[in-house]
Amino acid sequence: MSINSTSRKRGKRQGSLATKIRWAFLSFAIVSLLVAGSALTYWSYRTQQTTLLQSQLKTAETVSQAISSYLQTALHEMLMFEHFQDIASLTPQEQQQKLESLLSYRRDIFDELTLLDAEGNEIAKVSEFRTYLPEDLGNQANSSEFETISSGSNFISPVYLSQYSLPMVTMAIPVHDAQGQVKGAILAEVNANKMWQVVTSVELGETGYAYIVDQDGTLLGHKTLATFFAHQGEDLSNVPGVKDALTAGHEQTPNLYIDFTGENVSSAYASIKIENIQWVVVVALPAAEAYASINTMLGFLGGIMAIALILASVVGSLMPRAIIRPLTLLTESANIIGAGDLEHQIEITTKDEVGRLASAFSNMTAQIRGFIDNLEQRVAERTEDLRKSSMELRAAAEVARAAASILEPEELIQQVVDLIQDRFGFYYVGLFLVDEKNEWAVLQAGTGEAGQKMLARNH
C-alpha cells in the first residue's frame, strides 16, 4: 500500500461522521462529568467539613458548660454561705467552726477556706490537708484577690498548682455586715481536678483532645498532663485556633492550622465567662484523622467519576456505530443501485430519519425502475411498428412489381390478393370492383376456398 493511500484512509477515518459524533459525545460527557463531579466533590467536602465543625463545637460547648457549672456551683456555695451565716458578726471561734462546717459539707469542691478581715488579715483558716494554728495566719492585703473584693466584686484566679501539686483555682467573695458594708473576704481554694477530669475525658475520635487557655493565652489545662507540663506558662495567644477564640465575635468556620503541639489540626472553641475570668475551651482533632473520612469520600467520588468516564467512553464508542451503521448501509445500497442493480432492496426498517430516508430512496428507485420498464416497452412497441411498416412497404413493392409484370387483369387481380394475404398475414383478402351503375361492389378475386365459393356465386 502506498503512502498516499494510507494517508487518504487515515484522513477519511479522522473526517468520518462516526469520529465526529464520538468526539462530540466524549467531549460533552467528560465536561459534564467534570463539572458535576467537581460541584458534587466541593459540596460533599464542605458538608463533611461543616459536620466535623459541628461535632467539635458540640464537644467544646459540653466541656465549657461542665466547667462553667462546676465553677458557678463553687461560687454559689460561697455566696450562700456568706449570705446566710452573717459570719462578720461571729466570734473567731464561731467563724472557724463555720468554715470547717462548709469544708466538711463540700469536700468535693473546696480544699481550703480562709476568712479575711477588712485589713486583709487572716482571722480563720481551715484546710483539707493541714491544721492552721493562730501563728500560721498571715495578711493578704496586697494580694490581687483582696484588691478585687475590696471594691465589692467577686474574684476567680487562673489555674495553678498548689503546694501539693494539685490544680487549684482561688475564689474570693466580699463579706458584708448587716448594713452591706464590706468587712472582709472569704477565700477558697477550689479543686480544679473536676475541670481536668472533664478535659481529660473528652472523646473526639481516637486522637482528638481539648485544652483550656485564659484570656492571656496561658495554658490552664490539657487532656494530656505531659503536654500541659511541657507548655505550662507559654503564651499561646498567637496560635491560630487560640487567637480566633480570644478575638471571638465572628462565626466559626472550618479551619486547619499548626497547633502549639506541632500537629496540623482542625479545631473549634467555646468560651467560659464567669466573673472576672474569660477562659476558652479549644477542641482539636489532628488533620490526619479529621479528614480521613473526607479523603475516603473524595476517593470514592473520584472512583465513581473514573467509572463514569470509562462508561462514557464505551458508550461514546458504541453509540456512533448504532447511528452510522444505517447510514453506511444506505451508502452501500446507493452504490449498488448506482452501479445498475435497480432490483436491490435497502434493508433499513427503523422509523427514524434514516429509516424515512431509506424508504424515500427505495421509492425513488422503484419509480426509476418503472420509468425504465415503461421506456423499454415503448421502444419495443415502436420497433414493432417500424418492423410492420417495413413489411408493408416490401409487400406493396412486390404487389407493384407483380402488377407491372402481369398483363392479364384477372390473373393480375388474383395475384395481388394472394400477395397481400401472404405478405401482410391476413386471414382473407377479397378485391371488389364497383359496377357501371355504381350500385354494387362485385367480388373480382378472393383468397382461399371461401373466395372461390363467393366468386362462383358472383358475390
Side-chain angles (χ1 to χ4, degrees), residues 95-144:
Q95 291 171 339
Q96 184 78 13
Q97 290 175 351
K98 292 294 184 181
L99 290 180
E100 289 175 353
S101 176
L102 176 61
L103 180 63
S104 175
Y105 174 65
R106 297 312 306 254
R107 292 180 185 276
D108 57 326
I109 297 177
F110 304 119
D111 281 359
E112 187 173 281
L113 295 169
T114 304
L115 179 63
L116 305 179
D117 62 16
E119 286 75 33
N121 297 311
E122 296 178 347
I123 56 178
K125 194 169 188 178
V126 294
S127 174
E128 183 73 20
F129 305 102
R130 59 173 292 187
T131 300
Y132 286 98
L133 300 174
E135 57 269 21
D136 296 325
L137 303 180
N139 183 281
Q140 297 193 32
N142 296 324
S143 65
S144 56

Side-chain angles (χ1 to χ4, degrees), residues 20 59 79 197 277 298 335 355 370 373 380:
K20 293 178 180 178
T59 303
L79 292 171
Q197 289 173 6
I277 68 169
L298 292 178
N335 291 331
D373 291 343

Side-chain angles (χ1 to χ4, degrees), residues 15 21 30 52-53 58 61 184 221 261 287 291 297 299 322 326 339 342 350 370 397 425 433 439:
I21 294 176
I30 290 173
L52 173 63
L53 177 63
K58 184 177 180 181
E61 289 171 356
T261 58
Y291 285 83
M297 178 270 299
L342 296 178
T350 59
L433 294 178
E439 293 180 353

Side-chain angles (χ1 to χ4, degrees), residues 141 189 216 456:
E189 285 191 353
D216 298 322

